[in-house]
Amino acid sequence: MAAIIQGIGTATALNSTNSLDTNKTLFANSRRSLSDRKGRFFMVRSDGCLSYGLNGHGGRAEKLITNAVAAKEDTAVAYTSSKPGHELLLFEALREGLEEEMDRDPTVCVMGEDVGHYGGSYKVTKGLAPKYGDLRVLDTPIAENSFTGMGIGAAMTGLRPVVEGMNMGFLLLAFNQISNNCGMLHYTSGGQFKIPIVIRGPGGVGRQLGAEHSQRLESYFQSIPGIQMVACSTPYNAKGLMKAAIRSDNPVILFEHVLLYNLKERIPDEEYVLNLEEAEMVRPGEHVTILTYSRMRYHVMQAAKTLVNKGYDPEVIDIRSLKPFDLYTIRNSVKKTHRVLIVEECMRTGGIGASLTAAITENFHDYLDAPIVCLSSQDVPTPYAGTLENWTVVQPPQIVTAVDQLCQ
């Protein structure tokens, strides 16, 4: 099998434009201390309650309002039909980006369960096997640890493999390969090996897929040194991030949400590649910075309609880069609004929100006029029952309530 992989193409050396080291981290100038500001505080607990009081002393808890937003759920922000380009669903945009890179670079290959003639569990690789052959689009056995390790070995020898996990939860079986090999080999080899691999697949809380198929593994993988992580949320950024991840000399994990695959958007006909370390300004505003990513982007934008009607002007940022954070964009926003709300689908304990909170507190503490608030999923296995499933994930009414309290 190793001989087959080595025969897919010849190695090419590409200059890396997306190094794991980033110089965007800026430290805030002293403004004034939080202790000199209003003593009122509140926090949203993992059980969905608001707890608030004065000067750090606990107060009473109040259930979040569950019907504060009546607006219909948003779809992806799209180009208008009058603009040039072509319309694609998100999974089609991923496929188009992958196909363009396979045309451009013969060392790009795909491997995973059912990625070949079946076209992948969500049809991201549909049609690629007949075009490129079974060696460049390789169907593998149901053995995540084996084919992930094989992909890492292929990357070491000069190929640029794209490894698909049929479901991101299954990649826990390959955690040893991703952590001890994928993230560390560049360092432990003294720079002799690059690991230009992309690991991608569907994840997140779906519609009654059960606990094992509703995993959010960004919290697991963020602690691995040497790994970059990005999360797509629109067809436009899905394609741009896919192309950038393939061209990067660093190992990149691309998180795709299972409920976003059928979002439609008009994207440019011209080739484009996005920056792996750059956040997206979704909605400029003045009153509060809302940091989010993936599916929660749409919950936030749904809540933003109600917030605008109530007189608030929220600034919404899709962080996209989960590791490293785009602290330059975040810093400029926090300096303007002085209030931060983080909305994530990840678990509260040890999640992306916790890391974001730490980064903002360490770097931009003096810009804050109120404590950072983080809305996260509850620390429970995702229930199968639809009603219970919704209660474990942040909903737009909770975002509205949190902004109400944060801006008082």
Side-chain angles (χ1 to χ4, degrees):
M1 185 65 74
I4 294 176
I5 294 300
Q6 290 177 359
I8 295 176
T10 58
T12 59
L14 299 178
N15 293 327
S16 175
T17 59
N18 295 294
S19 172
L20 283 176
D21 297 327
T22 177
N23 295 322
K24 288 184 178 179
T25 306
L26 301 177
F27 291 91
N29 295 324
S30 177
R31 188 167 172 270
R32 52 178 174 159
S33 172
L34 275 173
S35 61
D36 296 329
R37 299 169 189 160
K38 296 179 180 180
R40 183 178 178 85
F41 81 97
F42 83 102
M43 60 182 177
V44 182
R45 304 190 325 212
S46 61
D47 60 0
C49 292
L50 278 177
S51 181
Y52 53 91
L54 297 173
N55 298 325
H57 298 290
R60 59 193 175 90
E62 178 180 314
K63 275 288 181 183
L64 287 169
I65 301 171
T66 59
N67 59 352
V69 177
K72 294 182 180 179
E73 184 171 328
D74 279 348
T75 56
V77 178
Y79 284 82
T80 63
S81 57
S82 62
K83 290 188 176 181
H86 55 288
E87 282 192 344
L88 289 178
L89 301 175
L90 190 144
F91 78 89
E92 294 172 330
L94 288 166
R95 181 199 305 150
E96 185 171 274
L98 177 57
E99 188 171 4
E100 287 179 6
E101 292 305 300
M102 294 185 76
D103 286 339
R104 186 187 68 87
D105 185 350
T107 68
V108 178
C109 55
V110 181
M111 60 185 70
E113 299 157 359
D114 288 334
V115 298
H117 296 279
Y118 183 71
S121 56
Y122 289 89
K123 303 306 177 185
V124 173
T125 57
K126 182 180 179 180
L128 298 185
K131 180 177 181 179
Y132 299 106
D134 293 340
L135 292 182
R136 290 189 70 189
V137 185
L138 183 65
D139 276 321
T140 67
I142 304 175
E144 283 76 11
N145 57 345
S146 298
F147 67 74
T148 303
M150 183 171 65
I152 295 168
M156 292 173 66
T157 62
L159 301 181
R160 291 184 175 270
V162 178
V163 173
E164 175 180 312
M166 183 178 287
N167 183 279
M168 292 300 274
F170 302 159
L171 289 178
L172 289 175
L173 296 169
F175 194 86
N176 174 63
Q177 284 73 21
I178 296 172
S179 59
N180 285 330
N181 302 140
C182 186
M184 298 185 185
L185 275 171
H186 180 66
Y187 173 79
T188 56
S189 69
Q192 296 181 72
F193 294 110
K194 293 179 181 178
I195 317 294
I197 187 174
V198 179
I199 299 173
R200 52 154 298 270
V205 177
R207 289 189 175 91
Q208 296 182 262
L209 296 180
E212 293 183 359
H213 290 71
S214 301
Q215 298 275 30
R216 287 133 290 179
L217 295 191
E218 54 265 38
S219 60
Y220 291 67
F221 293 132
Q222 68 172 329
S223 62
I224 301 175
I227 295 285
Q228 269 188 284
M229 304 194 311
V230 291
C232 61
S233 54
T234 69
Y236 176 82
N237 67 38
K239 178 181 176 180
L241 291 174
M242 170 70 87
K243 292 172 69 70
I246 292 173
R247 296 186 188 190
S248 174
D249 282 341
N250 297 313
V252 179
I253 301 178
L254 174 59
F255 292 93
E256 305 155 14
H257 200 287
V258 67
L259 293 184
L260 300 184
Y261 278 127
N262 288 323
L263 289 178
K264 182 178 286 188
E265 182 180 19
R266 186 173 293 276
I267 66 174
D269 292 327
E270 300 79 15
E271 183 182 31
Y272 65 93
V273 180
L274 297 181
N275 189 332
L276 288 177
E277 300 178 9
E278 190 172 80
E280 177 187 350
M281 179 65 67
V282 180
R283 183 191 188 279
E286 298 289 338
H287 293 159
V288 58
T289 297
I290 304 181
L291 303 175
T292 188
Y293 65 94
S294 191
R295 178 196 176 197
M296 287 295 109
R297 167 178 175 152
Y298 299 96
H299 283 213
V300 168
M301 291 307 292
Q302 181 179 337
K305 295 180 180 179
T306 301
L307 291 171
V308 170
N309 291 336
K310 295 177 71 141
Y312 297 112
D313 187 17
E315 180 154 293
V316 180
I317 296 175
D318 184 343
I319 62 173
R320 291 198 312 209
S321 176
L322 308 184
K323 183 181 180 182
F325 297 132
D326 180 3
L327 293 183
Y328 179 81
T329 299
I330 294 171
R331 179 253 190 190
N332 287 340
S333 181
V334 175
K335 185 178 180 181
K336 175 173 59 175
T337 66
H338 312 301
R339 291 173 174 82
V340 177
L341 171 64
I342 300 168
V343 182
E344 63 174 346
E345 194 179 85
C346 197
M347 299 299 186
R348 183 172 186 83
T349 301
I352 297 297
S355 297
L356 259 179
T357 300
I360 295 169
T361 302
E362 290 173 1
N363 295 304
F364 316 128
H365 176 274
D366 286 337
Y367 290 144
L368 295 171
D369 282 344
I372 299 170
V373 177
C374 183
L375 298 179
S376 310
S377 293
Q378 297 186 42
D379 289 332
V380 296
T382 303
Y384 174 76
T387 303
L388 295 177
E389 181 184 68
N390 287 336
W391 275 103
T392 66
V393 179
V394 178
Q395 300 297 331
Q398 293 172 280
I399 301 169
V400 173
T401 304
V403 171
D404 270 333
Q405 296 291 330
L406 189 57
C407 292
Q408 283 183 2

